[in-house]
Amino acid sequence: MNITIDVKDINSTVEVQVKGEIDAYTAPKLRESLFPLSEQEGVSMVVDLSEVNYMDSTGLGVFVGLFKSVRAHDGQFKLVGLSERLRRLFDITGLADIIDIKSDAEGGLA
């Protein structure tokens, strides 16, 4: 159960690359790394999940919380690079209708 979180914070734009699995064991690390950044006024947060091979409901909860926090601070939140499996998870839960989700990193992280 490993997770790697690489964060680049440049001029109110936070680019995050997540690698590994997001589950009950790794979600707290993800939350601790990103929540302080989500509270910046007007932040634009882009999270690349192209190298995430597994995510459970705990991970969904982290992203819902991040989305709410970013929006509460007049920012923008986007998830990019979702595999078909992750995209289906967001579709089934209805979160794909709420959170900006792109299936590839186009316009996101380089």
Side-chain angles (χ1 to χ4, degrees), residues 12 38-45 67-77:
S12 295
S38 73
E39 296 173 337
Q40 297 177 30
E41 198 63 31
V43 69
S44 176
M45 184 177 285
F67 170 76
K68 288 181 177 181
S69 178
V70 168
R71 294 295 294 266
H73 293 90
D74 297 319
Q76 296 180 339
F77 183 77

Side-chain angles (χ1 to χ4, degrees), residues 8 11 28 45 51 64 67-68 79 84 91 95 106-107:
K8 294 179 187 172
N11 298 328
M45 184 177 285
E51 296 190 49
V64 169
F67 170 76
K68 288 181 177 181
L79 296 174
E84 187 60 37
D91 285 338
L95 292 172
E106 190 176 304

Side-chain angles (χ1 to χ4, degrees), residues 45-95:
M45 184 177 285
V46 179
V47 181
D48 186 346
L49 300 177
S50 60
E51 296 190 49
V52 171
N53 51 31
Y54 175 81
M55 181 168 57
D56 67 12
S57 61
T58 315
L60 287 175
V62 170
F63 290 119
V64 169
L66 283 170
F67 170 76
K68 288 181 177 181
S69 178
V70 168
R71 294 295 294 266
H73 293 90
D74 297 319
Q76 296 180 339
F77 183 77
K78 183 189 304 186
L79 296 174
V80 299
L82 280 74
S83 66
E84 187 60 37
R85 184 177 191 172
L86 291 183
R87 184 167 187 76
R88 197 168 35 248
L89 185 61
F90 280 87
D91 285 338
I92 289 170
T93 58
L95 292 172

